[in-house]
Amino acid sequence: MIRIILIGFMGAGKTTVGKALSQSLGLPFYDLDWYIEDRYRKTISQLFAEKGEEGFRKIEKDILNEVAEFEDVIISCGGGTPCFFDNMDYMNRQAQTIYLKASPEVLYRHLKMGKVERPLLKDKTEAEMKQFIRDMLKTREPFYSRAQYTLNVNLLENYDKIKDSVRLLRELLNI
């Protein structure tokens, strides 16, 4: 049985790498945020607005506990998932966990295009967004670094680099 959970800051490429890895291994891929949206028939932004971050994080934990029971699966989590409750310990018990690590500069470049869709980034100026990424990364890094594996994804700029990352992941996991 293969169960892999990808973690990292928003914009690190968890969904992109997760999809490519699932295709490479012939396994289903679940993006935790998409799964939550499908289950609740609301966007993450709507859930954040209605329930606040605390309410959303409880939903996220419950759905994580459901999806992480699936077998032969690749799962990508939201950037905050590992940082709440006992989620990181739970993920490490349930699966092989991989931290997709990117620099604040790379994260900013990836996020500036889609900031409207990110509840924690909307309404931030460029300077505020850059500072937010640095501050949140500093806060979240201790959780992310508890993953069993770390893959630097600073160079996920094109399809060949994504393929290289999948190859490196397969070597790292020996699959």
Side-chain angles (χ1 to χ4, degrees):
M1 181 200 54
I2 297 172
R3 189 182 291 138
I4 298 167
I5 299 177
L6 303 174
I7 66 167
F9 201 77
M10 60 180 138
K14 299 177 299 288
T15 299
T16 301
V17 171
K19 283 180 179 178
L21 183 60
S22 78
Q23 288 175 346
S24 173
L25 295 172
L27 296 175
F29 170 73
Y30 291 92
D31 178 294
L32 199 63
D33 284 347
W34 295 351
Y35 198 86
I36 291 168
E37 289 180 343
D38 187 57
R39 172 68 57 83
Y40 284 83
R41 303 277 188 240
K42 295 181 181 183
T43 66
I44 298 302
S45 294
Q46 289 170 324
L47 289 168
F48 253 81
E50 288 176 16
K51 302 192 179 291
E53 185 172 13
E54 188 176 326
F56 171 75
R57 295 302 178 188
K58 174 71 173 100
I59 289 169
E60 183 180 56
K61 176 185 173 45
D62 292 344
I63 297 297
L64 171 66
N65 288 331
E66 178 182 327
V67 175
E69 295 290 327
F70 297 173
E71 295 185 359
D72 296 321
V73 67
I74 312 296
I75 302 165
S76 72
C77 294
T81 307
C83 309
F84 293 88
F85 307 106
D86 65 342
N87 290 349
M88 197 63 231
D89 291 333
Y90 176 75
M91 288 188 279
N92 278 328
R93 286 192 308 270
Q94 290 297 110
Q96 293 176 292
T97 54
I98 302 153
Y99 169 28
L100 300 186
K101 185 173 186 166
S103 71
E105 296 77 23
V106 168
L107 294 169
Y108 172 75
R109 280 201 317 268
H110 291 178
L111 290 168
K112 73 179 177 180
M113 290 182 264
K115 78 174 192 172
V116 174
E117 300 170 27
R118 309 280 183 162
L120 295 175
L121 295 179
K122 72 176 191 180
D123 303 325
K124 288 193 177 6
T125 66
E126 181 177 317
E128 290 170 337
M129 196 169 149
K130 287 178 178 180
Q131 189 61 49
F132 176 83
I133 292 167
R134 284 191 298 275
D135 292 346
M136 288 298 286
L137 201 52
K138 191 175 186 180
T139 301
R140 291 179 174 186
E141 182 73 27
F143 295 96
Y144 295 159
S145 66
R146 291 171 47 203
Q148 295 156 356
Y149 304 95
T150 299
L151 180 68
N152 183 311
V153 291
N154 276 333
L155 299 176
L156 281 183
E157 300 299 326
N158 60 49
Y159 187 71
D160 287 335
K161 299 293 185 188
I162 294 166
K163 281 184 6 184
D164 289 344
S165 293
V166 168
R167 181 186 49 75
L168 288 170
L169 273 177
R170 290 189 70 161
E171 288 173 11
L172 195 63
L173 300 171
N174 199 25
I175 53 175

